[in-house]
Amino acid sequence: MNKINYQKKLDELIASLDGTPKLLLHSCCAPCSSYCIEYLSQYFEITVFYYNPNLYPDEEYSRRSSEQKRLISQMKTKYPVTYTDEGFDSAEFYRAVKGLEKEPEGGARCRKCFELRLERTAKKAKELSCDFFATTLTISPLKDAQLLNEIGTALSEKYGTAWLPSDFKKKNGYKRSTELSREYGLYRQDYCGCVFSKLERETSKNNTL
């Protein structure tokens, strides 16, 4: 099956916009959101939605959410960007991935995590009467943009809010996010976020010593 060019789909959608729609943008962290906010705030009124029950340890959630709020307060954007969250309850993540603890990174456990976070985003977008919802996760070279867009599209049909297609790593998006991270002095973690990714990263480091 041919992969869809989601950046092209986003370009076409932006070109067809009438007015300034409201977008609920799920964010995994400030560094990943930096380019997405810079880019999308030219066309949308954005509410950044911080819902990441996968984070480990608990202090990681506090650190990343604080950095997210700081970035939003400091970035200058054409249209308003605000912040909302659902609080932090790691039990939601562990319930969702129960039985998949030994899966490798990028496998079935990650899919469940994506589904959990994006479904809550779709629900929140409907609650807030947003025109679109999206996620910053597609900016990562390690994340499957095709899978994320498939999940988002299915949830759009389920909840009735339009999914904003994306592959934010395109157009040097990931590179720009690293530049903005340096510019704003953002904390950049070296693992995705959950305890499993942290352990895998630590194992990888130890194996290279």
Side-chain angles (χ1 to χ4, degrees):
M1 183 175 67
N2 292 330
K3 287 195 172 183
I4 297 170
N5 186 332
Y6 286 102
Q7 178 60 51
K8 182 179 179 182
K9 287 176 72 71
L10 177 56
D11 289 340
E12 292 170 348
L13 188 151
I14 286 174
S16 71
L17 290 178
D18 183 17
T20 311
K22 294 180 180 179
L23 168 67
L24 187 68
L25 177 64
H26 166 263
S27 174
C28 56
C29 62
C32 287
S33 74
S34 58
Y35 165 73
C36 303
I37 291 172
E38 180 184 67
Y39 173 33
L40 296 173
S41 64
Q42 300 174 72
Y43 313 103
F44 300 89
E45 290 184 18
I46 299 173
T47 298
V48 172
F49 182 48
Y50 202 79
Y51 174 67
N52 299 293
N54 57 310
L55 294 181
Y56 175 87
D58 291 1
E59 311 87 74
E60 187 72 13
Y61 176 88
S62 300
R63 187 173 187 183
R64 293 195 198 189
S65 61
S66 294
E67 283 290 85
Q68 183 69 75
K69 286 181 271 194
R70 179 173 72 84
L71 175 66
I72 291 170
S73 71
Q74 293 179 357
M75 284 191 84
K76 298 191 185 315
T77 57
K78 180 177 180 180
Y79 294 113
V81 179
T82 56
Y83 172 95
T84 190
D85 64 40
E86 293 283 86
F88 178 64
D89 182 1
S90 60
E92 294 180 329
F93 169 70
Y94 292 113
R95 282 195 297 269
V97 302
K98 187 175 182 180
L100 300 171
E101 293 85 355
K102 297 188 184 302
E103 285 287 314
E105 279 294 287
R109 185 182 63 246
C110 290
R111 181 184 184 115
K112 282 291 184 183
C113 182
F114 297 157
E115 290 172 345
L116 172 67
R117 290 188 280 171
L118 288 182
E119 181 149 20
R120 186 64 63 88
T121 306
K123 288 180 180 178
K124 192 71 173 180
K126 185 172 184 178
E127 175 190 321
L128 297 177
S129 299
C130 293
D131 301 293
F132 295 92
F133 71 103
T135 182
T136 63
L137 287 165
T138 66
I139 199 169
S140 171
L142 301 176
K143 299 291 188 293
D144 185 343
Q146 185 85 15
L147 172 61
L148 287 160
N149 279 283
E150 288 172 1
I151 294 169
T153 299
L155 290 168
S156 172
E157 294 171 359
K158 181 176 180 179
Y159 289 99
T161 301
W163 167 252
L164 191 75
S166 72
D167 192 352
F168 291 123
K169 70 181 72 64
K170 302 291 188 181
K171 292 188 171 180
N172 290 317
Y174 179 73
K175 179 183 176 185
R176 179 58 180 157
S177 75
T178 63
E179 294 170 350
L180 288 166
S181 294
R182 287 193 295 270
E183 181 180 333
Y184 288 96
L186 297 175
Y187 161 60
R188 289 183 68 87
Q189 63 285 346
D190 65 355
Y191 67 104
C192 178
C194 73
V195 62
F196 309 108
S197 63
K198 184 174 176 63
L199 290 172
E200 187 167 303
R201 177 62 176 159
E202 289 172 352
T203 300
S204 176
K205 282 182 178 179
N206 291 334
N207 288 341
T208 59
L209 294 178

